[in-house]
């Protein structure tokens, strides 16, 4: 498989989409990307597993990292993609082969960018956080990721989404005492007890703080509930899983303390905690980028890999073609013009 | 396997316990019971599947039915049973090989009882109601069960438990609208919505009505709850299963109407409904029996097969050795004296 990085960016997107690359199966696409980049003399190319990194070394005063993942969620009869009326339909068109195509084209066609550039293409973004290819690079090759500012090419409707909110999942276990349901007063009903947890959730007023000029919007929700032993037994345990999405003015520790205070008296286990990232739009490279691409900036509400860059002290934003609300849907689609616009704006800024 | 029906009733109980007869596996014990009963000239013996019926035909003015199930819940390393200090330990000692042994001994040793007697030993009591051997006899051989009064030998601490409460299970489905949990306000959380169902359950005051002189005690409980799609998705459905135990002054239809009124506005599906049975202690045979065995009568709170006799218009009570609270527990045990007392009282009444 040979990729043409200098032709039409929409054709390149189509080629990338049509290489199946569901998480765990990124070898073919990583091989194709690596081999296409190795053909470019102005780039140093590195590889770790199915992550490929390429970078210029022009001695520019600042370095911008452009990053995107190569994997997709499972295919749902939506490959190969179709193009009708200049719209691409199918898996990966939104999340995020368009963004990857834009970066590859920049890598190939801009040998002398005004900032040094590092391109990061990685595996396992769509699955458990511990498998993340970017997480692996952060742990094992942080030097490969060094830079002053990072742009993650996740779909953002080609507007800039700054930072990201954190996410935390806790399990609340409500105990009870089992009894035959014909003599229910001998037991304590754990599902009824969980009603008190739901009361707190129903009464909760989520914050909408402004952080570095962007308005975030938190959320606190039960995402799973499970309880019960048998149709004739008073349940002795009920478990409620709660997901807290918190603005980046709150650290992971603060988020945990907040939930422990809110659910005081309940047994809580933290199962997952990924802090957010402040938008970092006070950085010169970030400001310059925002101005170059049109100035519209919104807060990123979901957790994204910008938080992994924040972990390395690198401010990062989300900027890529495609409507994020269509990501993972069976009818994922992306207007070709979004991809062309995104490429043109980045080329103008970096050229 | 030959059963000795005329020796020690405790030894007979032990022999019956040591024939494994978990529901669905009653053939060996039914064969043994049938063959022992066929050896008795004063009884007519009938068989359907693993249910065995035997009856006298002495032309007495009234007929009493003595019934008990042959199956047990699964064995938990508690067979063969052990006897220490005159206490029987192991599966079936309480539920209900003791009761079966008492009836078999009456069948063998009382050729001329003062009421005509029908003995009913049946399969599949401990599993889904539709499998019940007694239910099968009610449907296919109601004439075999004809009688004026029935005694079910289920464990009742050797006191008389009159009638039984009904039981009903409904599934309540609370809808929501799925959304990514990072933008939770775009969805409607079905688990939070189920909080309103739990509110009704937590506030509910169960009735304790007196029916035919016995006090019953109702209960309304969530027995299972289930909801949630994924850790980052606002759940679009939550299901709550509710078990209603209702006193026998309320019919199945009335019980259903009550729940539909209580949970008005929610989507309800009735999954199981078994009406109770009034104690029927106004019947002469019933009064005579209660006086003969000592006069202590309590309301039966759990649903039992007395309701199947009620369906045929035959008043029925529960009376058998063993503590019903130990039924189905891994440390099921029964004092041998309970079994002997039970036998002695029944023999005295019927002899």
């Amino acid at each position: 498989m040979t990729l043409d990085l200098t032709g039409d960016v929409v054709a390149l997107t189509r080629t990338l989409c049509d290489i199946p690359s569901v998480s765990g199966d990124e070898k073919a696409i990583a091989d194709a990307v690596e081999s296409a980049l190795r053909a470019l003399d102005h780039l140093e190319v590195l590889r770790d597993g199915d992550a490929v990194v390429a970078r210029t070394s022009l001695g520019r005063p600042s370095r911008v990292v452009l990053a995107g993942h190569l994997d997709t969620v499972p295919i749902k009869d939506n490959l190969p993609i179709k193009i009708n009326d200049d719209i691409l339909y199918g898996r990966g068109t939104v999340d995020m082969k368009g963004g990857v195509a834009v970066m590859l084209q920049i890598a190939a066609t801009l040998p002398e960018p005004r900032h040094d550039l590092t391109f990061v293409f990685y595996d396992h973004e769509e699955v458990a956080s511990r498998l993340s290819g970017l997480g692996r690079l952060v742990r094992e090759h942080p030097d490969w990721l060094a830079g002053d500012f990072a742009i993650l090419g996740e779909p953002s409707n080609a507007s800039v989404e700054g930072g990201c909110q954190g996410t935390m999942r806790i399990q609340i276990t409500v105990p009870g005492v089992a009894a035959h349901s014909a003599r229910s007063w001998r037991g304590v009903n754990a599902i009824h007890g969980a009603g008190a947890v739901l009361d707190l959730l129903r009464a909760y007023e989520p914050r909408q703080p402004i952080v570095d000029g962007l308005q975030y919007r938190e959320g606190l929700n039960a995402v799973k509930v499970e309880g019960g032993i048998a149709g004739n037994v008073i349940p002795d345990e009920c478990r409620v899983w709660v997901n807290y999405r918190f603005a980046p003015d709150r650290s992971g520790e603060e988020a945990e303390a907040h939930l422990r205070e809110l659910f005081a008296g309940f047994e809580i286990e933290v199962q997952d905690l990924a802090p957010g990232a402040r938008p970092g739009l006070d950085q010169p490279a970030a400001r310059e980028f925002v101005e170059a691409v049109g100035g519209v900036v919104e807060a990123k509400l979901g957790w994204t890999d910008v938080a992994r860059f924040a972990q390395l002290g690198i401010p990062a934003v989300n900027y890529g073609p495609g409507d994020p609300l269509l990501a993972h849907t069976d009818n994922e689609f992306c207007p070709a013009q979004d991809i062309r616009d995104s490429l043109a704006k980045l080329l103008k800024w970096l050229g």
Side-chain angles (χ1 to χ4, degrees), chain A residues 195-206 220 263:
Chain A
V197 173
L198 299 187
D199 285 350
L200 289 168
L201 290 169
R202 290 151 82 198
Y204 189 78
E205 301 268 2
L220 184 70
F263 295 110

Side-chain angles (χ1 to χ4, degrees), chain A residues 200-217:
Chain A
L200 289 168
L201 290 169
R202 290 151 82 198
Y204 189 78
E205 301 268 2
R207 298 189 313 143
Q208 299 191 33
I210 290 170
V211 184
D212 296 353
L214 298 183
Q215 183 165 43
Y216 289 85
R217 188 164 177 180

Side-chain angles (χ1 to χ4, degrees), chain A residues 219-247:
Chain A
L220 184 70
N221 277 277
V223 287
K224 187 178 171 186
V225 63
E226 209 174 71
I229 300 170
N232 60 355
V233 179
I234 301 304
D236 64 351
E237 192 174 280
C238 184
R239 293 165 301 285
V240 183
W241 286 262
V242 173
N243 182 216
Y244 179 34
R245 299 287 177 151
F246 55 98

Side-chain angles (χ1 to χ4, degrees), chain A residues 71-84:
Chain A
D71 59 324
T72 69
V73 295
I75 294 158
K76 281 281 186 68
D77 225 10
N78 50 6
L79 275 195
I81 68 160
K82 294 182 181 63
I83 304 187
N84 284 322

Side-chain angles (χ1 to χ4, degrees), chain A residues 117-255:
Chain A
L117 296 179
T118 300
F119 300 91
V120 182
F121 303 101
Y122 56 100
D123 55 290
H124 286 95
E125 193 270 346
E126 298 291 8
V127 285
S129 174
R130 67 189 163 78
L131 298 175
S132 160
L134 186 60
R136 192 176 68 243
L137 295 179
V138 168
R139 284 193 306 275
E140 296 175 17
H141 303 288
D143 52 310
W144 295 7
L145 303 176
D148 301 290
F149 175 55
I151 298 170
L152 208 64
E154 289 276 359
S156 66
N157 269 328
S159 72
V160 181
E161 294 187 332
C164 76
Q165 294 201 122
T167 180
M168 178 176 180
R169 205 173 58 245
I170 62 172
Q171 180 186 309
I172 304 178
T173 304
V174 180
V177 176
H180 195 290
S181 66
R183 290 183 184 78
S184 50
W185 54 92
R186 289 172 176 267
V188 176
N189 193 315
I191 296 176
H192 296 196
V197 173
L198 299 187
D199 285 350
L200 289 168
L201 290 169
R202 290 151 82 198
Y204 189 78
E205 301 268 2
R207 298 189 313 143
Q208 299 191 33
I210 290 170
V211 184
D212 296 353
L214 298 183
Q215 183 165 43
Y216 289 85
R217 188 164 177 180
E218 299 196 334
L220 184 70
N221 277 277
V223 287
K224 187 178 171 186
V225 63
E226 209 174 71
I229 300 170
N232 60 355
V233 179
I234 301 304
D236 64 351
E237 192 174 280
C238 184
R239 293 165 301 285
V240 183
W241 286 262
V242 173
N243 182 216
Y244 179 34
R245 299 287 177 151
F246 55 98
D249 62 339
R250 199 162 251 186
S251 70
E253 293 69 30
E254 287 165 344

